Amino acid sequence: GENEIDYVLFATVPSKDSITIKPHPDEVDDVCWVTQAKLLEMFADKDLLFSPWFRIIANRWMISSSGATAEKGGWWDDLDRTMNTHDFCDYESIHRFDPPEEHLGGGGDATAMFGEGK
């Protein structure tokens, strides 16, 4: 198994040209600006591979159409609330989950441990 702390960074900017993003090349392969609809479309594309943790975090907490935030909205659904309140902050919980199906198997023969391989 793998234990990991994942950070999600939000920034509001007047335009994408007003910020320079220089992620660590060993940690991030690509960065792009997308809408929620485009991200969901990209998730459905089996030719694209996302970090398993990003896909789970996005589906559970960023986008309200599914996951734990469906009743109160996702982070992305109300950026003003996300950026200016602590409504979505959780400093106490440890969330355990299995990687998505596309990350199961492989050379390490990864398997689901918690029954959440989706």
Side-chain angles (χ1 to χ4, degrees):
E2 183 175 334
N3 295 305
E4 181 170 322
I5 296 175
D6 293 292
Y7 296 93
V8 177
L9 173 68
F10 285 92
T12 54
V13 296
S15 74
K16 61 184 176 185
D17 298 325
S18 66
I19 188 170
T20 301
I21 300 173
K22 294 174 17 178
H24 193 287
D26 290 340
E27 296 291 331
V28 178
D29 287 332
D30 194 16
V31 174
C32 65
W33 297 82
V34 297
T35 63
Q36 282 189 30
K38 180 63 176 176
L39 180 62
L40 292 172
E41 180 183 312
M42 292 169 71
F43 279 167
D45 184 339
K46 300 299 181 195
D47 292 327
L48 296 176
L49 187 63
F50 289 86
S51 152
W53 318 127
F54 175 71
R55 182 186 293 269
I56 291 169
I57 289 167
N59 284 322
R60 284 195 182 180
W61 295 291
M62 286 176 57
I63 302 169
S64 68
S65 61
S66 62
T69 61
E71 69 282 351
K72 66 177 182 177
W75 304 333
W76 201 345
D77 297 310
D78 189 344
L79 285 177
D80 183 61
R81 183 173 159 210
T82 299
M83 299 300 289
N84 295 299
T85 73
H86 292 275
D87 290 354
F88 295 107
C89 296
D90 180 353
Y91 302 108
E92 304 295 325
S93 300
I94 296 173
H95 300 275
R96 293 178 171 87
F97 37 75
D98 292 323
E101 292 177 20
E102 69 267 19
H103 289 277
L104 295 176
D109 197 27
T111 59
M113 292 177 59
F114 304 108
E116 298 181 358
K118 295 184 176 163

